[in-house]
Amino acid sequence: MTDSLEIVRQEWEEGNRRFEAARDDRRRYAWLLAQLEVVSDELRKRVGQTYTLSELAAAYHEADRWARGPVEERAPSPDWARDLAIVLAAAFHAYQRGAVDYLS
């Protein structure tokens, strides 16, 4: 695994940790879950069912551009733009498990 891929995976792990830390605030967590669903739907459209971690990382580097509109349209919250990075990282963290070259 390349160093850059390892760094991205660490970003996903940290974002997922921050996402899960929001559970204490039920209202915010509900918004984050709705946004996670939107991002996950869009991610499936982008990378499909068969992909590598490198392909997933490439999608992540462009995710802010393709995820912003759908989240704003389908699952906005008062702080959705601020929370988008957390939601993106959590979505990619979960989705990486489906990569053909995934190793925990």
Side-chain angles (χ1 to χ4, degrees), residues 46-61:
R46 297 266 170 197
V47 299
Q49 297 278 327
T50 305
Y51 52 91
T52 64
L53 287 170
S54 293
E55 291 169 332
L56 195 60
Y60 179 68
H61 290 301

PDB file of all heavy atoms in Angstrom, residues 46-61:
ATOM      1  N   ARG A  46     -20.643   6.377  -8.478  1.00  0.00           N
ATOM      2  CA  ARG A  46     -19.312   6.775  -8.957  1.00  0.00           C
ATOM      3  C   ARG A  46     -18.376   5.591  -9.157  1.00  0.00           C
ATOM      4  O   ARG A  46     -17.670   5.539 -10.154  1.00  0.00           O
ATOM      5  CB  ARG A  46     -18.654   7.736  -7.970  1.00  0.00           C
ATOM      6  CG  ARG A  46     -19.396   9.015  -7.824  1.00  0.00           C
ATOM      7  CD  ARG A  46     -18.824  10.028  -8.757  1.00  0.00           C
ATOM      8  NE  ARG A  46     -19.718  11.175  -8.750  1.00  0.00           N
ATOM      9  CZ  ARG A  46     -19.711  12.097  -9.659  1.00  0.00           C
ATOM     10  NH1 ARG A  46     -18.870  12.032 -10.663  1.00  0.00           N
ATOM     11  NH2 ARG A  46     -20.548  13.096  -9.605  1.00  0.00           N
ATOM     12  N   VAL A  47     -18.331   4.693  -8.180  1.00  0.00           N
ATOM     13  CA  VAL A  47     -17.327   3.626  -8.250  1.00  0.00           C
ATOM     14  C   VAL A  47     -17.910   2.250  -8.526  1.00  0.00           C
ATOM     15  O   VAL A  47     -17.160   1.336  -8.842  1.00  0.00           O
ATOM     16  CB  VAL A  47     -16.441   3.573  -6.980  1.00  0.00           C
ATOM     17  CG1 VAL A  47     -15.680   4.865  -6.789  1.00  0.00           C
ATOM     18  CG2 VAL A  47     -17.236   3.211  -5.754  1.00  0.00           C
ATOM     19  N   GLY A  48     -19.207   2.103  -8.409  1.00  0.00           N
ATOM     20  CA  GLY A  48     -19.833   0.828  -8.722  1.00  0.00           C
ATOM     21  C   GLY A  48     -19.603  -0.233  -7.669  1.00  0.00           C
ATOM     22  O   GLY A  48     -19.302   0.054  -6.523  1.00  0.00           O
ATOM     23  N   GLN A  49     -19.717  -1.479  -8.097  1.00  0.00           N
ATOM     24  CA  GLN A  49     -19.635  -2.621  -7.182  1.00  0.00           C
ATOM     25  C   GLN A  49     -18.226  -3.201  -7.090  1.00  0.00           C
ATOM     26  O   GLN A  49     -17.878  -3.825  -6.118  1.00  0.00           O
ATOM     27  CB  GLN A  49     -20.597  -3.707  -7.650  1.00  0.00           C
ATOM     28  CG  GLN A  49     -22.053  -3.294  -7.628  1.00  0.00           C
ATOM     29  CD  GLN A  49     -22.655  -3.425  -6.252  1.00  0.00           C
ATOM     30  OE1 GLN A  49     -22.283  -4.307  -5.506  1.00  0.00           O
ATOM     31  NE2 GLN A  49     -23.580  -2.547  -5.930  1.00  0.00           N
ATOM     32  N   THR A  50     -17.441  -3.041  -8.147  1.00  0.00           N
ATOM     33  CA  THR A  50     -16.095  -3.597  -8.172  1.00  0.00           C
ATOM     34  C   THR A  50     -15.096  -2.449  -8.309  1.00  0.00           C
ATOM     35  O   THR A  50     -15.115  -1.722  -9.302  1.00  0.00           O
ATOM     36  CB  THR A  50     -15.941  -4.589  -9.356  1.00  0.00           C
ATOM     37  OG1 THR A  50     -16.964  -5.581  -9.258  1.00  0.00           O
ATOM     38  CG2 THR A  50     -14.581  -5.243  -9.337  1.00  0.00           C
ATOM     39  N   TYR A  51     -14.215  -2.312  -7.325  1.00  0.00           N
ATOM     40  CA  TYR A  51     -13.273  -1.198  -7.299  1.00  0.00           C
ATOM     41  C   TYR A  51     -12.095  -1.551  -6.391  1.00  0.00           C
ATOM     42  O   TYR A  51     -12.180  -2.453  -5.564  1.00  0.00           O
ATOM     43  CB  TYR A  51     -13.949   0.081  -6.798  1.00  0.00           C
ATOM     44  CG  TYR A  51     -14.671  -0.111  -5.480  1.00  0.00           C
ATOM     45  CD1 TYR A  51     -14.019   0.117  -4.274  1.00  0.00           C
ATOM     46  CD2 TYR A  51     -15.977  -0.561  -5.441  1.00  0.00           C
ATOM     47  CE1 TYR A  51     -14.667  -0.100  -3.065  1.00  0.00           C
ATOM     48  CE2 TYR A  51     -16.632  -0.765  -4.247  1.00  0.00           C
ATOM     49  CZ  TYR A  51     -15.970  -0.539  -3.057  1.00  0.00           C
ATOM     50  OH  TYR A  51     -16.608  -0.756  -1.869  1.00  0.00           O
ATOM     51  N   THR A  52     -11.013  -0.823  -6.575  1.00  0.00           N
ATOM     52  CA  THR A  52      -9.841  -0.977  -5.726  1.00  0.00           C
ATOM     53  C   THR A  52      -9.779   0.188  -4.735  1.00  0.00           C
ATOM     54  O   THR A  52     -10.483   1.197  -4.913  1.00  0.00           O
ATOM     55  CB  THR A  52      -8.548  -0.977  -6.560  1.00  0.00           C
ATOM     56  OG1 THR A  52      -8.411   0.310  -7.177  1.00  0.00           O
ATOM     57  CG2 THR A  52      -8.569  -2.085  -7.610  1.00  0.00           C
ATOM     58  N   LEU A  53      -8.922   0.062  -3.759  1.00  0.00           N
ATOM     59  CA  LEU A  53      -8.736   1.158  -2.815  1.00  0.00           C
ATOM     60  C   LEU A  53      -8.187   2.397  -3.522  1.00  0.00           C
ATOM     61  O   LEU A  53      -8.570   3.513  -3.184  1.00  0.00           O
ATOM     62  CB  LEU A  53      -7.797   0.735  -1.684  1.00  0.00           C
ATOM     63  CG  LEU A  53      -8.407  -0.229  -0.667  1.00  0.00           C
ATOM     64  CD1 LEU A  53      -7.318  -0.774   0.267  1.00  0.00           C
ATOM     65  CD2 LEU A  53      -9.509   0.429   0.134  1.00  0.00           C
ATOM     66  N   SER A  54      -7.338   2.204  -4.503  1.00  0.00           N
ATOM     67  CA  SER A  54      -6.798   3.350  -5.249  1.00  0.00           C
ATOM     68  C   SER A  54      -7.898   4.075  -6.018  1.00  0.00           C
ATOM     69  O   SER A  54      -7.936   5.311  -6.054  1.00  0.00           O
ATOM     70  CB  SER A  54      -5.708   2.896  -6.218  1.00  0.00           C
ATOM     71  OG  SER A  54      -4.592   2.442  -5.498  1.00  0.00           O
ATOM     72  N   GLU A  55      -8.808   3.331  -6.615  1.00  0.00           N
ATOM     73  CA  GLU A  55      -9.936   3.945  -7.327  1.00  0.00           C
ATOM     74  C   GLU A  55     -10.837   4.682  -6.341  1.00  0.00           C
ATOM     75  O   GLU A  55     -11.337   5.776  -6.639  1.00  0.00           O
ATOM     76  CB  GLU A  55     -10.732   2.884  -8.077  1.00  0.00           C
ATOM     77  CG  GLU A  55      -9.983   2.294  -9.253  1.00  0.00           C
ATOM     78  CD  GLU A  55     -10.638   1.063  -9.843  1.00  0.00           C
ATOM     79  OE1 GLU A  55     -11.341   0.314  -9.122  1.00  0.00           O
ATOM     80  OE2 GLU A  55     -10.440   0.839 -11.056  1.00  0.00           O
ATOM     81  N   LEU A  56     -11.014   4.104  -5.169  1.00  0.00           N
ATOM     82  CA  LEU A  56     -11.832   4.747  -4.143  1.00  0.00           C
ATOM     83  C   LEU A  56     -11.168   6.036  -3.658  1.00  0.00           C
ATOM     84  O   LEU A  56     -11.831   7.061  -3.497  1.00  0.00           O
ATOM     85  CB  LEU A  56     -12.053   3.774  -2.981  1.00  0.00           C
ATOM     86  CG  LEU A  56     -13.138   4.117  -1.990  1.00  0.00           C
ATOM     87  CD1 LEU A  56     -14.501   4.218  -2.668  1.00  0.00           C
ATOM     88  CD2 LEU A  56     -13.175   3.083  -0.881  1.00  0.00           C
ATOM     89  N   ALA A  57      -9.863   5.993  -3.479  1.00  0.00           N
ATOM     90  CA  ALA A  57      -9.128   7.196  -3.062  1.00  0.00           C
ATOM     91  C   ALA A  57      -9.226   8.294  -4.111  1.00  0.00           C
ATOM     92  O   ALA A  57      -9.367   9.478  -3.774  1.00  0.00           O
ATOM     93  CB  ALA A  57      -7.669   6.846  -2.778  1.00  0.00           C
ATOM     94  N   ALA A  58      -9.175   7.919  -5.382  1.00  0.00           N
ATOM     95  CA  ALA A  58      -9.319   8.912  -6.449  1.00  0.00           C
ATOM     96  C   ALA A  58     -10.696   9.569  -6.388  1.00  0.00           C
ATOM     97  O   ALA A  58     -10.820  10.791  -6.561  1.00  0.00           O
ATOM     98  CB  ALA A  58      -9.094   8.253  -7.811  1.00  0.00           C
ATOM     99  N   ALA A  59     -11.729   8.776  -6.131  1.00  0.00           N
ATOM    100  CA  ALA A  59     -13.085   9.331  -5.994  1.00  0.00           C
ATOM    101  C   ALA A  59     -13.165  10.252  -4.780  1.00  0.00           C
ATOM    102  O   ALA A  59     -13.852  11.282  -4.812  1.00  0.00           O
ATOM    103  CB  ALA A  59     -14.103   8.206  -5.883  1.00  0.00           C
ATOM    104  N   TYR A  60     -12.453   9.915  -3.721  1.00  0.00           N
ATOM    105  CA  TYR A  60     -12.452  10.723  -2.502  1.00  0.00           C
ATOM    106  C   TYR A  60     -11.856  12.105  -2.760  1.00  0.00           C
ATOM    107  O   TYR A  60     -12.365  13.105  -2.256  1.00  0.00           O
ATOM    108  CB  TYR A  60     -11.663   9.996  -1.413  1.00  0.00           C
ATOM    109  CG  TYR A  60     -11.561  10.730  -0.108  1.00  0.00           C
ATOM    110  CD1 TYR A  60     -12.686  10.921   0.696  1.00  0.00           C
ATOM    111  CD2 TYR A  60     -10.342  11.216   0.347  1.00  0.00           C
ATOM    112  CE1 TYR A  60     -12.591  11.576   1.917  1.00  0.00           C
ATOM    113  CE2 TYR A  60     -10.238  11.870   1.557  1.00  0.00           C
ATOM    114  CZ  TYR A  60     -11.365  12.051   2.342  1.00  0.00           C
ATOM    115  OH  TYR A  60     -11.272  12.701   3.548  1.00  0.00           O
ATOM    116  N   HIS A  61     -10.795  12.154  -3.556  1.00  0.00           N
ATOM    117  CA  HIS A  61     -10.141  13.434  -3.827  1.00  0.00           C
ATOM    118  C   HIS A  61     -11.038  14.385  -4.614  1.00  0.00           C
ATOM    119  O   HIS A  61     -10.822  15.598  -4.588  1.00  0.00           O
ATOM    120  CB  HIS A  61      -8.819  13.220  -4.556  1.00  0.00           C
ATOM    121  CG  HIS A  61      -7.779  12.588  -3.678  1.00  0.00           C
ATOM    122  ND1 HIS A  61      -7.332  13.151  -2.508  1.00  0.00           N
ATOM    123  CD2 HIS A  61      -7.122  11.413  -3.791  1.00  0.00           C
ATOM    124  CE1 HIS A  61      -6.445  12.372  -1.954  1.00  0.00           C
ATOM    125  NE2 HIS A  61      -6.297  11.299  -2.704  1.00  0.00           N
TER     126      HIS A  61
END
